[in-house]
Amino acid sequence: MKNFIVKTIANAGALAVAVWLLDKITLTGGSTVRKAGTLIVVALVFGLVNFLVKPVVRVLTLPLFLLTLGLITLVVNALMLLLTSWVCGTLGVSFHVEGFWTAVLGGLIVSVVSWALNAVLPDQD
């Protein structure tokens, strides 16, 4: 359970950095506490999308992964971020990613920051 919480916090932090750096990734809300709560919800949705959809997409794109020497991972991460944006829009959560190339850059930022935060934060259950 502790590992799940740490990963959710790391994803929320990574998404916050992406929102902060990119103008076309938006997170609206009133107060800072409300935005933090929204980030936690978005991180949970992002984790769920990555848990359920990403393995299937990775298997389907395995030949492209080999052909592009792993660069297709950027596209897969962008698609997961766009899917998260769509699900959040459906649920009424105020998180939106505008455009594919913004999603590619946002996915790269989220991956790097999430990796760094997971390396620093404890991950014991």
Side-chain angles (χ1 to χ4, degrees), residues 104-123:
V104 170
L105 189 55
L108 182 63
I109 291 169
V110 168
S111 295
V112 170
V113 173
S114 180
W115 170 81
L117 288 175
N118 280 318
V120 172
L121 294 172
D123 62 349

Side-chain angles (χ1 to χ4, degrees), residues 31-107:
S31 66
T32 304
V33 174
R34 187 170 169 97
K35 286 183 181 180
T38 303
L39 272 174
I40 295 295
V41 171
V42 172
L44 288 170
V45 170
F46 187 67
L48 190 63
V49 165
N50 279 330
F51 179 74
L52 295 175
V53 179
K54 196 170 187 176
V56 174
V57 173
R58 277 192 176 169
V59 168
L60 294 175
T61 60
L62 184 62
L64 288 173
F65 182 83
L66 296 172
L67 184 66
T68 63
L69 302 175
L71 289 177
I72 194 70
T73 304
L74 292 172
V75 174
V76 170
N77 288 343
L79 293 175
M80 295 303 110
L81 196 58
L82 285 171
L83 183 58
T84 300
S85 174
W86 179 78
V87 170
C88 286
T90 303
L91 296 174
V93 178
S94 60
F95 176 76
H96 181 68
V97 179
E98 185 180 327
F100 176 75
W101 293 110
T102 303
V104 170
L105 189 55

